[in-house]
Amino acid sequence: MKRYKRKILVFLIVSLLIVVGSFTILFLNFRKQLSLQDRILVLQANLTHTDSIITNLLQLESDKRAFQITSDISYLRNFYAIRTGCNGSIDRLKSNVSDKATISLISEVDRLMELRLANMDSGLAVFRKNGPEAAILFMQDPSKRSIRERLALQLHSLKSSFQEALQSTTAGINKKSEQNIIGLLVLVLVFISLMFIAARTFRRAQHRVIMNHLKFKEAQRIAKIGSWEWNFKTNRLKWSQEQFRIFGETRGEFELTYKGYLNHFSIQEQQKIMDLMHSAIDKKTEFVIEHDIRRRDGTSLTVMERGNLILDKDNNPVGMFGTTQDISERKDYEKQLLQAELKYKAIIDNSADGIYQSTPDGKFVMVNPSMAGIFGYASPAEMINQVQNIGIQIYADPADRQNMAEIITRQGHIENYEMQVLKKDGSRIWVSANIRILRNDDGTVQFYEGILEDISDRKRAEEEILQLNKSLEQFANITAHDLQEPIRMVSGFLGLLEKKYAAALDEQGKGYIFRAKDGADRMSILIRDLLEFSRSGNKAAKKEPVNLESVIDLVQKDMSIVMQDTSAGLYVPEKMPVVEGTHSALYRLFLNLVSNGIKFRKKDTSPQVSILLNEQTDCWEFTVQDNGIGVPEKDQPKLFQAFQRLHRKEDYPGTGLGLVTCKKIVETHGGKIWMTSEFGKGTAFHFTLPKMRA
């Protein structure tokens, strides 16, 4: 009995040890399985985050370019929203990883992505400041392309490491599952009561798996990534809910077989898929394909499919698992982006103006066909290859290059700069240049880009007009001299007749002589004004710095008698600027406008003329304002037309050439003139003169 009890005790002890040992093994295996399941979820989440980073970067690029193309602010808002999410994906990856190698890889991805995002921000800044062509050229910089390529490579390496870890972990789960089954059988055989405990533990674990599965399904829905598994032995498929949505199928109505899957593709695409899968199986490599699928409702989607082999213990393929991602939106953006890039390229290539981009060391990196044609090269490639020093091979006058460099360095750009350049054959042509600087983030000059217009024909026309004007001026001088002499003779003899024969003349005769003298005097004034008008538009006159204070002093001196006789007042600014021009022409300009203000005065009112000065960015704006009779609105368009008189010569003498002369003087000096007037209250003449170039 005692021995029996001992045996029973030994049995119980052994049974208990077996139960405890089995339970311990089972418990540890369950915990390990749960840990591995958690790791799978983490790895799947990491893959999702990695794909999200890749998708977000593509979306960022697409939204940025879409904004630059359309200027639609909604793209910019989406850009900044996605940009914020990129950093969040990196932070989640860091929190999910513990091994040093992967952490180092993620840190490198983080660093490169920060550089990439910074380049995008800089590209947007360049677009806002300098336009779409500058932004495109900015992003084509080799250093920025290098960052994009390195980032893509690091992301691929990171994703591959996660996929390898996922495959390894999946195999570990399968092994632990087998051990769990054995442990459960041992527990059932040894002690049936432990089934309850095991069941409870299993149910808890199962609940956790289910909850994780639900979370995983939601993650797939958000990322538009479905998952699948293919059993080679049964030829059956397992699809996630998102996989069904992507293919437009309903669970229970679709045959989950390889054949059913292939029915969503054309015959040609089916053969391509089979060749890729067989190659992946034979070589035991990853299966990757990007193609269009036909959904049940007739619509189509562009998807990217990835698959990895499932191997048995003997390293033989027994199945495949992978993901299917809906990339239709990304493809649409890429298509729109490509169309936009082609459109911009077409605009540049078909532009009549020469467009180029060059480096600070004097080499072209881009020229359009018109640029090559202007300089006599057969193609843009020929011009880029043959012009190795812009300063020597392009500029006809080294002083132009020096002057342009100083202006661009000071202003960051130059507009409408006219100069002579050298063609391929050494001949000279005139061009008008608009150039600006593109700088790196550190402020150093990266590129010069510009637009050139061939103005040789205009320059030749201007030279012809200049020579014609010189001839006309000479003719006018000769004609005026030849006409003035007989007019002075007629006026002189009429004066002698009036003086010598005054007693013999009746009132009618004296009237005839008066009218004849008046006509001769008016003819002399007309000839003088015509001569002044012909000289006013002479662009060839040498221009020099003119102090307008001396001009106004001279006007006041010459008008002093008239101002005294009319009790006129003239008000001028305390300080007048120095402008580039001809002293005599600017004197005639102010003299005509001031004298007009005094001449066209109201009866019984002292004329008051004010010269006002307003400084603009690139010019001086002058106003000569009076309190005279004003000009009716209907007559104002006539003022700057030759020989247009609004009053009888008996009331207000003149030839009708004064304001026309003023207009020619202002335009010859590179300005513009206009007027405002209120009938009965006065007139203001406004005109601009360019500032002196530094």
Side-chain angles (χ1 to χ4, degrees), residues 174 227-239 256-259 261 277 281 307-312 316-322:
N174 293 334
S227 60
W228 52 268
E229 185 177 333
W230 177 22
N231 188 311
F232 291 166
K233 185 177 181 180
T234 63
N235 199 32
R236 301 292 296 178
L237 299 174
K238 291 182 181 179
W239 279 9
L256 284 169
T257 62
Y258 183 53
K259 181 180 179 181
Y261 159 78
M277 283 192 172
I281 294 171
N308 284 290
L309 289 174
I310 301 174
L311 305 176
D312 62 13
N316 296 316
V318 296
M320 184 177 286
F321 73 97

Side-chain angles (χ1 to χ4, degrees), residues 191-314:
F191 198 39
I192 194 67
S193 63
L194 291 180
M195 287 290 294
F196 178 73
I197 299 174
R200 288 182 61 187
T201 304
F202 183 76
R203 282 196 299 270
R204 290 175 180 175
Q206 193 176 37
H207 176 73
R208 188 173 179 181
V209 171
I210 290 172
M211 293 303 297
N212 289 335
H213 181 65
L214 292 174
K215 293 178 181 178
F216 181 63
K217 284 176 60 177
E218 182 65 13
Q220 285 191 339
R221 185 190 66 80
I222 295 172
K224 296 183 178 181
I225 299 176
S227 60
W228 52 268
E229 185 177 333
W230 177 22
N231 188 311
F232 291 166
K233 185 177 181 180
T234 63
N235 199 32
R236 301 292 296 178
L237 299 174
K238 291 182 181 179
W239 279 9
S240 69
Q241 188 62 40
E242 184 63 17
Q243 186 81 355
F244 278 102
R245 188 203 66 79
I246 292 173
F247 279 79
E249 297 288 355
T250 304
R251 193 183 297 273
E253 298 180 1
F254 172 65
E255 183 184 2
L256 284 169
T257 62
Y258 183 53
K259 181 180 179 181
Y261 159 78
L262 289 176
N263 287 335
H264 288 85
F265 305 95
S266 64
I267 300 298
Q268 295 82 359
E269 193 65 24
Q270 289 181 16
Q271 187 61 49
K272 181 180 178 182
I273 294 170
M274 287 187 291
D275 291 342
L276 284 173
M277 283 192 172
H278 291 156
S279 177
I281 294 171
D282 293 339
K283 299 178 181 179
K284 298 181 181 179
T285 58
E286 183 183 27
F287 165 78
V288 181
I289 188 172
E290 186 177 297
H291 51 191
D292 293 334
I293 61 171
R294 297 181 302 198
R295 308 175 82 219
R296 180 180 286 274
D297 60 2
T299 61
S300 62
L301 291 178
T302 303
V303 299
M304 176 178 287
E305 294 195 87
R306 296 179 179 272
N308 284 290
L309 289 174
I310 301 174
L311 305 176
D312 62 13
K313 61 182 180 179
D314 298 324

Side-chain angles (χ1 to χ4, degrees), residues 577-612:
V578 177
V579 298
E580 189 175 52
T582 53
H583 191 280
S584 60
L586 294 173
Y587 162 76
R588 293 197 302 273
L589 170 65
F590 281 96
L591 181 66
N592 275 332
L593 295 177
V594 172
S595 63
N596 271 358
I598 296 174
K599 180 169 64 175
F600 295 101
R601 61 186 180 274
K602 292 184 287 189
K603 293 181 179 179
D604 304 324
T605 301
S606 297
Q608 302 295 321
V609 181
S610 300
I611 300 176
L612 307 176

